[in-house]
Tab-separated table of all heavy atoms in Angstrom:
chain	number	residue	atom	x	y	z
Z	120	GLY	N	1.719	104.674	135.181
Z	120	GLY	CA	2.602	103.717	134.507
Z	120	GLY	C	3.419	104.377	133.409
Z	120	GLY	O	4.613	104.105	133.247
Z	121	LYS	N	2.758	105.267	132.659
Z	121	LYS	CA	3.474	105.968	131.589
Z	121	LYS	C	4.560	106.881	132.157
Z	121	LYS	O	5.658	106.993	131.622
Z	121	LYS	CB	2.497	106.784	130.746
Z	121	LYS	CG	1.630	105.931	129.837
Z	121	LYS	CD	0.739	106.805	128.974
Z	121	LYS	CE	-0.102	105.948	128.013
Z	121	LYS	NZ	-0.968	106.798	127.171
Z	122	THR	N	4.228	107.563	133.274
Z	122	THR	CA	5.215	108.443	133.910
Z	122	THR	C	6.414	107.643	134.393
Z	122	THR	O	7.572	108.031	134.206
Z	122	THR	CB	4.581	109.186	135.091
Z	122	THR	OG1	3.452	109.925	134.633
Z	122	THR	CG2	5.591	110.129	135.728
Z	123	LYS	N	6.161	106.490	134.983
Z	123	LYS	CA	7.244	105.644	135.465
Z	123	LYS	C	8.082	105.122	134.305
Z	123	LYS	O	9.327	105.108	134.361
Z	123	LYS	CB	6.644	104.474	136.259
Z	123	LYS	CG	7.695	103.587	136.899
Z	123	LYS	CD	7.020	102.502	137.712
Z	123	LYS	CE	8.065	101.606	138.364
Z	123	LYS	NZ	7.448	100.517	139.168
Z	124	GLU	N	7.402	104.729	133.210
Z	124	GLU	CA	8.118	104.240	132.034
Z	124	GLU	C	8.974	105.333	131.421
Z	124	GLU	O	10.108	105.100	130.976
Z	124	GLU	CB	7.103	103.721	131.010
Z	124	GLU	CG	7.748	103.156	129.760
Z	124	GLU	CD	6.700	102.692	128.757
Z	124	GLU	OE1	5.510	102.748	129.056
Z	124	GLU	OE2	7.109	102.290	127.652
Z	125	HIS	N	8.472	106.580	131.415
Z	125	HIS	CA	9.208	107.705	130.852
Z	125	HIS	C	10.474	107.974	131.662
Z	125	HIS	O	11.552	108.217	131.101
Z	125	HIS	CB	8.309	108.940	130.835
Z	125	HIS	CG	8.995	110.173	130.321
Z	125	HIS	ND1	9.333	110.336	129.001
Z	125	HIS	CD2	9.423	111.291	130.977
Z	125	HIS	CE1	9.940	111.500	128.841
Z	125	HIS	NE2	9.993	112.101	130.041
Z	126	LYS	N	10.322	107.894	133.016
Z	126	LYS	CA	11.485	108.122	133.861
Z	126	LYS	C	12.526	107.036	133.674
Z	126	LYS	O	13.726	107.300	133.659
Z	126	LYS	CB	11.054	108.197	135.325
Z	126	LYS	CG	10.302	109.471	135.666
Z	126	LYS	CD	9.981	109.521	137.143
Z	126	LYS	CE	9.257	110.817	137.480
Z	126	LYS	NZ	8.891	110.874	138.926
Z	127	GLU	N	12.102	105.811	133.476
Z	127	GLU	CA	13.040	104.716	133.285
Z	127	GLU	C	13.770	104.837	131.949
Z	127	GLU	O	14.884	104.356	131.789
Z	127	GLU	CB	12.316	103.384	133.364
Z	127	GLU	CG	11.829	103.050	134.779
Z	127	GLU	CD	11.025	101.763	134.812
Z	127	GLU	OE1	10.712	101.258	133.703
Z	127	GLU	OE2	10.687	101.293	135.910
Z	128	ALA	N	13.218	105.528	130.935
Z	128	ALA	CA	13.802	105.640	129.593
Z	128	ALA	C	14.753	106.813	129.472
Z	128	ALA	O	15.300	107.041	128.418
Z	128	ALA	CB	12.700	105.762	128.552
Z	129	GLU	N	14.991	107.582	130.524
Z	129	GLU	CA	15.898	108.720	130.460
Z	129	GLU	C	17.346	108.268	130.662
Z	129	GLU	O	17.612	107.312	131.387
Z	129	GLU	CB	15.535	109.747	131.532
Z	129	GLU	CG	14.269	110.533	131.202
Z	129	GLU	CD	13.977	111.585	132.244
Z	129	GLU	OE1	14.626	111.537	133.316
Z	129	GLU	OE2	13.126	112.445	131.991
Z	130	VAL	N	18.306	108.991	130.009
Z	130	VAL	CA	19.733	108.710	130.158
Z	130	VAL	C	20.448	110.000	130.523
Z	130	VAL	O	19.979	111.103	130.224
Z	130	VAL	CB	20.331	108.127	128.862
Z	130	VAL	CG1	19.779	106.759	128.569
Z	130	VAL	CG2	20.094	109.065	127.688
Z	131	GLU	N	21.598	109.845	131.179
Z	131	GLU	CA	22.384	111.000	131.601
Z	131	GLU	C	23.442	111.316	130.548
Z	131	GLU	O	24.222	110.444	130.153
Z	131	GLU	CB	23.049	110.711	132.951
Z	131	GLU	CG	23.742	111.917	133.560
Z	131	GLU	CD	24.345	111.596	134.917
Z	131	GLU	OE1	25.394	110.912	134.937
Z	131	GLU	OE2	23.775	112.011	135.935
Z	132	VAL	N	23.454	112.536	130.078
Z	132	VAL	CA	24.407	112.957	129.052
Z	132	VAL	C	24.993	114.308	129.448
Z	132	VAL	O	24.441	115.010	130.302
Z	132	VAL	CB	23.737	113.070	127.662
Z	132	VAL	CG1	23.233	111.725	127.183
Z	132	VAL	CG2	22.606	114.097	127.688
Z	133	PHE	N	26.120	114.638	128.802
Z	133	PHE	CA	26.710	115.964	128.991
Z	133	PHE	C	26.189	116.896	127.905
Z	133	PHE	O	26.163	116.540	126.719
Z	133	PHE	CB	28.234	115.881	128.920
Z	133	PHE	CG	28.871	115.331	130.166
Z	133	PHE	CD1	29.259	114.009	130.234
Z	133	PHE	CD2	29.067	116.150	131.278
Z	133	PHE	CE1	29.835	113.508	131.383
Z	133	PHE	CE2	29.647	115.656	132.428
Z	133	PHE	CZ	30.026	114.322	132.487
Z	134	VAL	N	25.777	118.071	128.341
Z	134	VAL	CA	25.301	119.089	127.402
Z	134	VAL	C	26.145	120.345	127.588
Z	134	VAL	O	26.893	120.480	128.567
Z	134	VAL	CB	23.809	119.404	127.631
Z	134	VAL	CG1	22.957	118.168	127.408
Z	134	VAL	CG2	23.581	119.969	129.031
Z	135	ALA	N	26.035	121.263	126.636
Z	135	ALA	CA	26.801	122.505	126.708
Z	135	ALA	C	26.217	123.403	127.793
Z	135	ALA	O	25.014	123.681	127.800
Z	135	ALA	CB	26.774	123.206	125.362
Z	136	ALA	N	27.069	123.850	128.723
Z	136	ALA	CA	26.621	124.749	129.786
Z	136	ALA	C	26.491	126.177	129.276
Z	136	ALA	O	25.872	127.022	129.918
Z	136	ALA	CB	27.577	124.691	130.959
Z	137	LYS	N	27.091	126.441	128.095
Z	137	LYS	CA	27.035	127.757	127.478
Z	137	LYS	C	27.268	127.570	125.978
Z	137	LYS	O	27.583	126.471	125.518
Z	137	LYS	CB	28.093	128.671	128.075
Z	137	LYS	CG	29.514	128.118	127.942
Z	137	LYS	CD	30.536	128.990	128.629
Z	137	LYS	CE	31.927	128.374	128.514
Z	137	LYS	NZ	32.954	129.200	129.182
Z	138	ASN	N	27.122	128.622	125.237
Z	138	ASN	CA	27.389	128.537	123.804
Z	138	ASN	C	28.879	128.302	123.566
Z	138	ASN	O	29.727	129.004	124.122
Z	138	ASN	CB	26.953	129.825	123.093
Z	138	ASN	CG	25.438	129.975	123.054
Z	138	ASN	OD1	24.704	128.978	123.140
Z	138	ASN	ND2	24.952	131.198	122.936
Z	139	ILE	N	29.168	127.303	122.751
Z	139	ILE	CA	30.555	126.973	122.417
Z	139	ILE	C	30.739	127.222	120.924
Z	139	ILE	O	30.002	126.667	120.098
Z	139	ILE	CB	30.870	125.504	122.754
Z	139	ILE	CG1	30.590	125.221	124.233
Z	139	ILE	CG2	32.327	125.175	122.428
Z	139	ILE	CD1	30.707	123.758	124.612
Z	140	HIS	N	31.714	128.054	120.584
Z	140	HIS	CA	31.937	128.396	119.179
Z	140	HIS	C	32.905	127.409	118.527
Z	140	HIS	O	33.718	126.769	119.209
Z	140	HIS	CB	32.479	129.814	119.062
Z	140	HIS	CG	31.550	130.849	119.614
Z	140	HIS	ND1	30.354	131.182	119.002
Z	140	HIS	CD2	31.629	131.609	120.756
Z	140	HIS	CE1	29.735	132.114	119.705
Z	140	HIS	NE2	30.485	132.386	120.780
Z	141	LYS	N	32.825	127.301	117.237
Z	141	LYS	CA	33.705	126.418	116.473
Z	141	LYS	C	35.169	126.793	116.725
Z	141	LYS	O	35.550	127.953	116.662
Z	141	LYS	CB	33.403	126.536	114.977
Z	141	LYS	CG	34.297	125.681	114.093
Z	141	LYS	CD	33.940	125.860	112.624
Z	141	LYS	CE	34.867	125.041	111.732
Z	141	LYS	NZ	34.551	125.214	110.296
Z	142	GLY	N	35.976	125.790	117.044
Z	142	GLY	CA	37.392	126.014	117.308
Z	142	GLY	C	37.708	126.217	118.775
Z	142	GLY	O	38.884	126.188	119.154
Z	143	ASP	N	36.689	126.412	119.633
Z	143	ASP	CA	36.935	126.600	121.067
Z	143	ASP	C	37.344	125.275	121.711
Z	143	ASP	O	36.875	124.200	121.329
Z	143	ASP	CB	35.677	127.115	121.767
Z	143	ASP	CG	35.371	128.564	121.403
Z	143	ASP	OD1	36.247	129.198	120.783
Z	143	ASP	OD2	34.274	129.040	121.735
Z	144	VAL	N	38.216	125.397	122.719
Z	144	VAL	CA	38.590	124.220	123.509
Z	144	VAL	C	37.518	123.987	124.566
Z	144	VAL	O	37.117	124.915	125.276
Z	144	VAL	CB	39.961	124.410	124.177
Z	144	VAL	CG1	40.340	123.186	125.002
Z	144	VAL	CG2	41.026	124.680	123.138
Z	145	ILE	N	37.042	122.761	124.666
Z	145	ILE	CA	35.999	122.433	125.638
Z	145	ILE	C	36.651	122.069	126.961
Z	145	ILE	O	37.492	121.164	127.019
Z	145	ILE	CB	35.122	121.270	125.133
Z	145	ILE	CG1	34.495	121.641	123.774
Z	145	ILE	CG2	34.046	120.917	126.135
Z	145	ILE	CD1	33.721	120.513	123.130
Z	146	ASN	N	36.276	122.779	128.030
Z	146	ASN	CA	36.785	122.479	129.364
Z	146	ASN	C	35.634	122.091	130.282
Z	146	ASN	O	34.479	121.994	129.850
Z	146	ASN	CB	37.573	123.668	129.926
Z	146	ASN	CG	36.774	124.964	129.847
Z	146	ASN	OD1	35.563	124.963	130.049
Z	146	ASN	ND2	37.448	126.068	129.561
Z	147	ALA	N	35.959	121.877	131.558
Z	147	ALA	CA	34.932	121.423	132.515
Z	147	ALA	C	33.825	122.464	132.681
Z	147	ALA	O	32.656	122.101	132.906
Z	147	ALA	CB	35.589	121.115	133.853
Z	148	ASP	N	34.162	123.757	132.591
Z	148	ASP	CA	33.147	124.804	132.739
Z	148	ASP	C	32.181	124.847	131.561
Z	148	ASP	O	31.122	125.480	131.656
Z	148	ASP	CB	33.830	126.167	132.886
Z	148	ASP	CG	34.661	126.252	134.161
Z	148	ASP	OD1	34.350	125.515	135.117
Z	148	ASP	OD2	35.646	127.038	134.179
Z	149	SER	N	32.570	124.213	130.466
Z	149	SER	CA	31.717	124.239	129.275
Z	149	SER	C	30.626	123.167	129.327
Z	149	SER	O	29.749	123.144	128.453
Z	149	SER	CB	32.564	124.024	128.017
Z	149	SER	OG	33.636	124.925	127.967
Z	150	LEU	N	30.674	122.282	130.337
Z	150	LEU	CA	29.771	121.124	130.376
Z	150	LEU	C	28.896	121.126	131.617
Z	150	LEU	O	29.236	121.695	132.651
Z	150	LEU	CB	30.596	119.823	130.348
Z	150	LEU	CG	31.566	119.623	129.186
Z	150	LEU	CD1	32.360	118.357	129.405
Z	150	LEU	CD2	30.824	119.584	127.863
Z	151	LYS	N	27.790	120.451	131.492
Z	151	LYS	CA	26.949	120.117	132.645
Z	151	LYS	C	26.153	118.859	132.308
Z	151	LYS	O	25.963	118.516	131.129
Z	151	LYS	CB	26.003	121.273	132.979
Z	151	LYS	CG	24.924	121.532	131.954
Z	151	LYS	CD	24.007	122.649	132.418
Z	151	LYS	CE	22.865	122.886	131.404
Z	151	LYS	NZ	21.942	123.953	131.873
Z	152	LYS	N	25.714	118.163	133.348
Z	152	LYS	CA	24.971	116.925	133.142
Z	152	LYS	C	23.490	117.223	132.994
Z	152	LYS	O	22.958	118.162	133.577
Z	152	LYS	CB	25.191	115.979	134.324
Z	152	LYS	CG	26.597	115.418	134.402
Z	152	LYS	CD	26.712	114.434	135.563
Z	152	LYS	CE	28.117	113.848	135.616
Z	152	LYS	NZ	28.265	112.894	136.754
Z	153	ALA	N	22.830	116.371	132.211
Z	153	ALA	CA	21.383	116.503	132.008
Z	153	ALA	C	20.796	115.120	131.763
Z	153	ALA	O	21.458	114.239	131.202
Z	153	ALA	CB	21.087	117.436	130.840
Z	154	ASN	N	19.542	114.918	132.190
Z	154	ASN	CA	18.809	113.673	131.934
Z	154	ASN	C	17.873	113.899	130.767
Z	154	ASN	O	16.971	114.746	130.835
Z	154	ASN	CB	18.026	113.247	133.175
Z	154	ASN	CG	18.942	112.828	134.308
Z	154	ASN	OD1	19.954	112.183	134.085
Z	154	ASN	ND2	18.591	113.203	135.536
Z	155	LEU	N	18.084	113.163	129.717
Z	155	LEU	CA	17.263	113.303	128.513
Z	155	LEU	C	16.627	111.968	128.162
Z	155	LEU	O	17.158	110.898	128.521
Z	155	LEU	CB	18.121	113.794	127.348
Z	155	LEU	CG	18.808	115.157	127.531
Z	155	LEU	CD1	19.674	115.464	126.327
Z	155	LEU	CD2	17.780	116.264	127.743
Z	156	ALA	N	15.504	112.034	127.477
Z	156	ALA	CA	14.825	110.806	127.071
Z	156	ALA	C	15.726	109.983	126.157
Z	156	ALA	O	16.408	110.522	125.280
Z	156	ALA	CB	13.523	111.155	126.360
Z	157	LYS	N	15.690	108.686	126.382
Z	157	LYS	CA	16.544	107.793	125.604
Z	157	LYS	C	16.215	107.865	124.118
Z	157	LYS	O	17.091	107.747	123.263
Z	157	LYS	CB	16.395	106.367	126.121
Z	157	LYS	CG	17.364	105.387	125.500
Z	157	LYS	CD	17.222	104.023	126.138
Z	157	LYS	CE	18.232	103.053	125.536
Z	157	LYS	NZ	18.101	101.705	126.146
Z	158	SER	N	14.949	108.065	123.819
Z	158	SER	CA	14.536	108.133	122.415
Z	158	SER	C	15.106	109.361	121.712
Z	158	SER	O	15.222	109.400	120.500
Z	158	SER	CB	13.007	108.155	122.329
Z	158	SER	OG	12.493	109.271	123.056
Side-chain angles (χ1 to χ4, degrees):
K121 287 183 178 180
T122 303
K123 184 177 180 180
E124 181 182 357
H125 178 71
K126 288 184 179 178
E127 290 176 351
E129 286 183 348
V130 293
E131 188 178 75
V132 296
F133 283 99
V134 299
K137 57 184 178 180
N138 290 336
I139 303 173
H140 299 290
K141 178 180 178 181
D143 289 349
V144 180
I145 302 175
N146 52 37
D148 296 335
S149 307
L150 304 175
K151 68 177 182 178
K152 291 183 179 179
N154 292 321
L155 300 177
K157 187 176 182 180
S158 58

